[in-house]
């Protein structure tokens, strides 16, 4: 099992930046993909960004492409999400997740990001 703890959420004005971090522990050797998702009130969960642990290949939702950057520190088993040019519609609970080689998902508790206009 993988345990995930996020940090870095908060309140920011539109156009501002925020960095989220997620620390993984437990069976980290089994992780194949690390990523971030978000869920706004009344909306479905959106997968925002992913990065593979082997090769560091990244992918982004169209809604954040060019504004968000996902990165990982394999030595520290952390994944970060740098969010720039934030918009009010980016307001959501952001959760870190991992996928292991058995396609099992692990989720963090989530951290609130609020972007004021």
């Amino acid at each position: 099992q993988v345990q995930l703890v996020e940090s870095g959420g908060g309140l920011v004005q539109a156009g501002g930046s925020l960095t989220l971090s997620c620390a993984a522990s437990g069976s980290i050797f089994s992780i194949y993909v690390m990523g971030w998702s978000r869920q706004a009130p009344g909306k479905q969960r959106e997968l925002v960004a992913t990065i593979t642990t082997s090769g560091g290949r990244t992918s982004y939702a169209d809604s954040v492409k060019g504004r968000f950057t996902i990165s990982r520190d394999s030595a520290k088993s952390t994944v970060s999400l740098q969010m720039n040019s934030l918009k009010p519609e980016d307001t959501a609970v952001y959760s870190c997740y991992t996928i292991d080689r058995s396609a099992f998902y692990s989720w963090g508790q989530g951290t609130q990001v609020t972007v004021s206009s």
Side-chain angles (χ1 to χ4, degrees), residues 15-30:
S17 298
L18 209 57
T19 301
L20 305 180
S21 294
C22 174
S25 62
S27 302
I28 57 175
F29 60 89
S30 66

Side-chain angles (χ1 to χ4, degrees), residues 9-94:
L11 173 65
V12 64
Q13 286 190 330
S17 298
L18 209 57
T19 301
L20 305 180
S21 294
C22 174
S25 62
S27 302
I28 57 175
F29 60 89
S30 66
I31 298 172
Y32 178 62
V33 172
M34 303 184 80
W36 290 92
S37 69
R38 67 185 182 185
Q39 188 166 23
K43 293 189 176 181
Q44 286 192 328
R45 185 189 297 270
E46 177 185 24
L47 301 184
V48 171
T50 63
I51 185 167
T52 61
T53 57
S54 176
R57 293 188 305 276
T58 59
S59 65
Y60 298 93
D62 287 341
S63 58
V64 306
K65 206 169 287 184
R67 299 188 298 122
F68 289 12
T69 302
I70 189 170
S71 61
R72 65 182 177 89
D73 183 334
S74 56
K76 297 180 181 179
S77 300
T78 60
V79 61
S80 298
L81 187 68
Q82 173 68 42
M83 305 184 292
N84 298 327
S85 303
L86 283 162
K87 306 174 182 179
E89 51 263 44
D90 293 319
T91 295
V93 174
Y94 285 71

